Amino acid sequence: MLAHKQFFTLRLADYLAPETVEEFDSWRFMGREWAGEAFGATEFLRPRGNPHDTVLVNLDLQELPALKIKEILSRLELALTPGMEETELAALLGRPVKQHDFLPDRKTLDYQMFQPDPYYLSLTLRKDKGLTNILLIAEELSKP
């Protein structure tokens, strides 16, 4: 996992053509106001009160180009790949601290990561597609 110091510098425009990335300074997500960048449902977010540090990365693995997914996951130092099944994730990450079954066709597994810095990691799996979404938050900075 990438250290916070490097995570804060991440920008979505470093991975995608700048003209495909939407930049914004007022975005409501998870009950907070953010600045950041988006490509569809993929978001790199910075707290509005600290718009220099990316603290949240939300990846939609179904819409990003495969090569870009690989580049971003490599930079994040996450050994995840689109389509991974729950058994593969358990072998890699252990048991989640929480599991959500909001819809019948998917589940979300939540993890707390502590090395090298604390992160909240949430992985959404669809029954027919495996891992489709990754949400990663620099944990100590995610509290309002």
Side-chain angles (χ1 to χ4, degrees), residues 27-130:
W27 186 268
R28 190 116 179 110
F29 182 66
M30 296 181 69
R32 294 186 59 197
E33 288 288 327
W34 302 91
E37 305 163 289
F39 174 82
T42 293
E43 304 154 330
F44 281 43
L45 303 179
R46 303 179 299 276
R48 214 162 156 211
N50 179 14
H52 304 288
D53 293 343
T54 297
V55 298
L56 185 152
V57 170
N58 186 32
L59 302 174
D60 183 338
L61 304 178
Q62 297 181 99
E63 68 181 10
L64 286 169
L67 180 59
K68 298 306 176 180
I69 292 169
K70 188 174 181 176
E71 288 176 13
I72 294 168
L73 291 175
S74 175
R75 179 70 178 119
L76 292 170
E77 299 177 13
L78 283 173
L80 302 173
T81 57
M84 288 180 86
E85 297 295 330
E86 187 172 359
T87 54
E88 295 173 289
L89 293 169
L92 181 66
L93 301 171
R95 296 184 70 172
V97 294
K98 194 176 221 181
Q99 178 174 313
H100 310 274
D101 295 301
F102 299 120
L103 297 169
D105 71 328
R106 70 194 76 176
K107 69 172 68 174
T108 300
L109 308 174
D110 293 342
Y111 294 88
Q112 292 293 147
M113 312 299 280
F114 297 101
Q115 295 298 323
D117 292 312
Y119 284 96
Y120 166 79
L121 175 65
S122 185
L123 307 173
T124 300
L125 294 87
R126 293 185 186 220
K127 281 188 180 177
D128 61 339
K129 297 180 181 177

